[in-house]
Amino acid sequence: MPKTSTPSVSSAVKDTVSVFNPTKPTAASVQSSTASVQPSMTNNSHHKANHNQNRSITQSSDAALATVDAPVSTAPKVGFVSLGCPKALVDSERIITELSRDGYQVASDYEGADLVVVNTCGFIESAVQESLDAIGEAISKNGKVIVTGCLGKEAEKIREMHPAVLAVTGAHAYDEVITAVSQHVPKPKRESASNYDPKIDLINEAGIKLTPSHYAYLKISEGCNHRCTFCIIPSLRGDLVSRPIDNVMNEALALKNAGVKELLIISQDTSAYGLDLKYKTSFWNGMPLKSKFYDLCQALNDLGIWVRLHYVYPYPHVDKVVALMSEKKLLPYLDIPFQHASHRILKAMKRPAHSENTLARIKAWREICPDIVIRSTFVVGFPGETEEDFQCLLDWLVEARLDRVGAFTYSEVEGAVANNLPNPVPEDIKQSRYERLMALQQEISAQKLQEKIGKTLTVLVDEIDSEESIAICRSYADAPEIDGHVYVDEISTHVKVGQFLTVTIDDASEYDLFASYQG
């Protein structure tokens, strides 16, 4: 087994999920994570910056397909291509779940589909082009295409380039997509209650998931109240809309009962959860619960499975959640999009908490919970960024010593306020700064992982290489698809995907750990 890992470049916004592999996969042009090679549908490298690895449903969730593919061949089939972040992936899961409840099957290729749904991304211009290309491919391969997702806000642009599309809806427009599908491919008839199909009737509250069966994304809110100058998410997905806490917990419990071992909590701003609901109290499992970030974390902890927090902003009230982590109540892992360290640039970005002393906050968190792992993403080459601003970011990284870091060069997105800011940074300087930042972080990562050698860790098995007798695992420090792995040698045939192992760390590379297991 190799002792090094070559990370790959992938976009900060792209996660392609399809029931079939598009024949011409493309990647958004921003660079992210720790990489210098282009991604592909077959790339198995690690360290993506933002949940953005290309995947097909058949690669990532055979169980999901087994659930939705009914054995009756007469039911209409719908193909699905999904582009974007985990929030969009959850939207795709919900649409597929509802279509499956209506009796539709999921097609395994373009030719076998009666219709194709393309869930688009519109976050940056390269992602917009990628979405338009995906729509075009679906039209050429199938002919009947419905478009949904963030790019749906630009319906005129879509129809101008692809007038053959049957319908265009916006982000998280579940009912509109279902209606559009049924208009063009009528749903199968279920003539009586005795016409029982367990593939449909036994879909539980967790719904159909496109991730492997042992982990799942749990979206707790939609939209965002912030107005960062480089971002158009509020115009695409609206302001913050939190799910009531009983609704969230019902889904979380259903996922646990379905065998999920790890929940990845996602939203646009996880630490703002419940603000729009004025922290309304609901009853779940006979107990009153407030729709509030801390209360949700407490309740999720009681499920007794791994809970990992993503997209958390460094507000003061996060300190209490870190205290829960120190009590082993949650995985001691925080994904916080700091984006920069220069106060001047953060102010120009209109980042929330831009005036906070984040180094002091990180130090306080480590005092509360010494094992905490922090991952973040950064933008280099933002308009007006000087060499002094960039050096401030490098100095900050040296002091912060974050565990996981992704970065991408600033890219204009249509409608973003930052496009009109003065003093844009030339592309060659953006690229140089990106490479300098990632080279520095590579050194920091290597040093931090060397400190793990000799320690005992609990890991979750994601894959098994039976030919080499190697288990590809993750520890509490590793989110799926974006962080590193723990490679465990000489495993027995009793080790299975989704199993927890206790291992001893023997070696480390810049990004991954290598361990032994005495089963």
Side-chain angles (χ1 to χ4, degrees):
M1 179 179 64
K3 292 297 182 181
T4 60
S5 172
T6 304
S8 71
V9 172
S10 57
S11 90
V13 296
K14 181 174 187 296
D15 186 353
T16 302
V17 181
S18 60
V19 296
F20 39 81
N21 288 323
T23 58
K24 189 175 62 177
T26 57
S29 62
V30 297
Q31 289 183 317
S32 63
S33 192
T34 52
S36 59
V37 297
Q38 291 297 324
S40 70
M41 296 296 281
T42 57
N43 189 347
N44 292 320
S45 298
H46 325 304
H47 324 298
K48 311 300 188 289
N50 281 319
H51 296 290
N52 47 18
Q53 182 178 7
N54 296 330
R55 294 178 301 166
S56 70
I57 291 177
T58 52
Q59 290 170 334
S60 64
S61 185
D62 290 336
L65 278 182
T67 302
V68 298
D69 271 336
V72 179
S73 60
T74 56
K77 293 185 177 182
V78 178
F80 220 95
V81 176
S82 185
L83 305 170
C85 61
K87 278 85 74 179
L89 176 64
V90 171
D91 291 345
S92 298
E93 290 174 336
R94 179 166 175 178
I95 293 168
I96 290 176
T97 297
E98 293 306 314
L99 288 173
S100 299
R101 286 192 172 118
D102 284 343
Y104 294 93
Q105 295 184 47
V106 177
S108 59
D109 53 42
Y110 286 114
E111 290 75 15
D114 295 289
L115 176 148
V116 176
V117 177
V118 180
N119 190 359
T120 59
C121 179
F123 184 61
I124 59 174
E125 285 307 306
S126 52
V128 169
Q129 187 57 52
E130 184 169 43
S131 293
L132 292 171
D133 290 345
I135 295 166
E137 179 176 323
I139 290 173
S140 66
K141 297 286 186 179
N142 181 274
K144 300 181 71 173
V145 176
I146 289 172
V147 177
T148 188
C150 288
L151 189 59
K153 188 174 183 291
E154 303 290 339
E156 291 184 8
K157 176 185 289 188
I158 293 170
R159 291 188 182 280
E160 180 180 350
M161 182 168 288
H162 301 297
V165 296
L166 301 177
V168 180
T169 76
H172 55 89
Y174 315 115
D175 292 340
E176 294 175 38
V177 176
I178 304 303
T179 299
V181 170
S182 64
Q183 286 176 346
H184 295 282
V185 180
K187 68 177 67 175
K189 294 181 179 180
R190 303 182 68 190
E191 297 177 357
S192 68
S194 62
N195 187 8
Y196 171 75
D197 183 350
K199 297 293 185 180
I200 298 171
D201 293 289
L202 295 183
I203 295 174
N204 64 26
E205 190 167 358
I208 293 166
K209 297 298 175 183
L210 305 182
T211 49
S213 59
H214 59 283
Y215 69 82
Y217 295 107
L218 179 61
K219 184 161 64 171
I220 62 173
S221 65
E222 188 58 82
C224 184
N225 287 343
H226 303 303
R227 295 297 183 265
C228 302
T229 57
F230 58 83
C231 180
I232 59 170
I233 291 297
S235 67
L236 297 176
R237 291 181 170 261
D239 289 336
L240 176 70
V241 177
S242 302
R243 297 171 60 188
I245 195 167
D246 58 328
N247 186 289
V248 175
M249 290 305 302
N250 284 337
E251 182 178 352
L253 181 59
L255 287 167
K256 176 191 174 181
N257 291 339
V260 167
K261 305 292 182 62
E262 176 182 10
L263 289 177
L264 298 108
I265 309 304
I266 58 171
S267 66
Q268 298 298 337
D269 181 356
T270 298
S271 41
Y273 171 71
L275 178 64
D276 58 306
L277 298 177
K278 298 182 180 179
Y279 309 125
K280 176 184 176 182
T281 297
S282 300
F283 282 84
W284 182 75
N285 206 23
M287 298 291 292
L289 288 176
K290 288 185 178 180
S291 295
K292 196 171 185 179
F293 179 48
Y294 179 80
D295 300 71
L296 175 63
C297 290
Q298 277 191 314
L300 289 169
N301 166 72
D302 291 340
L303 295 177
I305 58 178
W306 277 12
V307 176
R308 190 181 301 275
L309 302 178
H310 289 281
Y311 314 119
V312 177
Y313 285 88
Y315 303 129
H317 70 268
V318 176
D319 295 0
K320 291 180 63 180
V321 173
V322 174
L324 282 179
M325 294 176 179
S326 71
E327 301 166 9
K328 310 302 181 184
K329 301 287 186 180
L330 300 165
L331 288 183
Y333 178 104
L334 279 178
D335 174 9
I336 299 181
F338 287 115
Q339 304 295 16
H340 215 283
S342 163
H343 288 297
R344 193 180 71 83
I345 295 299
L346 288 169
K347 185 176 181 180
M349 291 178 170
K350 291 192 175 179
R351 291 295 289 165
H354 65 80
S355 63
E356 294 281 342
N357 186 338
T358 50
L359 285 174
R361 176 135 279 123
I362 290 170
K363 181 180 179 182
W365 289 341
R366 286 173 172 157
E367 289 174 352
I368 296 169
C369 182
D371 292 332
I372 194 169
V373 163
I374 301 173
R375 105 165 320 273
S376 190
T377 51
F378 297 89
V379 179
V380 298
F382 188 80
E385 182 190 64
T386 64
E387 180 62 26
E388 182 180 1
D389 292 319
F390 180 67
Q391 188 59 51
C392 173
L393 173 55
L394 296 183
D395 293 342
W396 188 95
L397 285 171
V398 169
E399 189 166 352
R401 296 188 80 237
L402 301 184
D403 301 86
R404 307 292 190 189
V405 167
F408 56 95
T409 57
Y410 173 77
S411 173
E412 288 191 0
V413 55
E414 185 176 347
V417 174
N419 297 344
N420 300 319
L421 293 177
N423 303 315
V425 178
E427 290 300 323
D428 60 334
I429 294 179
K430 290 181 188 177
Q431 180 64 24
S432 173
R433 289 176 180 172
Y434 166 81
E435 293 173 358
R436 288 162 60 192
L437 185 150
M438 296 317 303
L440 171 62
Q441 182 57 33
Q442 186 179 64
E443 294 178 9
I444 295 170
S445 176
Q447 292 168 5
K448 298 207 77 169
L449 291 184
Q450 285 292 319
E451 297 169 3
K452 303 282 188 183
I453 295 175
K455 293 187 176 181
T456 299
L457 292 177
T458 298
V459 298
L460 181 59
V461 180
D462 276 346
E463 301 176 53
I464 292 177
D465 184 338
S466 54
E467 291 185 4
E468 299 291 336
S469 297
I470 295 169
I472 303 170
C473 311
R474 291 180 295 106
S475 72
Y476 77 91
D478 311 304
E481 300 181 0
I482 61 171
D483 293 329
H485 289 98
V486 181
Y487 292 91
V488 183
D489 291 316
E490 300 178 2
I491 60 169
S492 70
T493 56
H494 300 293
V495 174
K496 305 297 181 184
V497 170
Q499 180 179 345
F500 285 107
L501 305 177
T502 300
V503 302
T504 301
I505 306 303
D506 302 320
D507 199 359
S509 68
E510 293 91 342
Y511 308 106
D512 300 314
L513 297 173
F514 305 89
S516 55
Y517 168 64
Q518 303 298 323

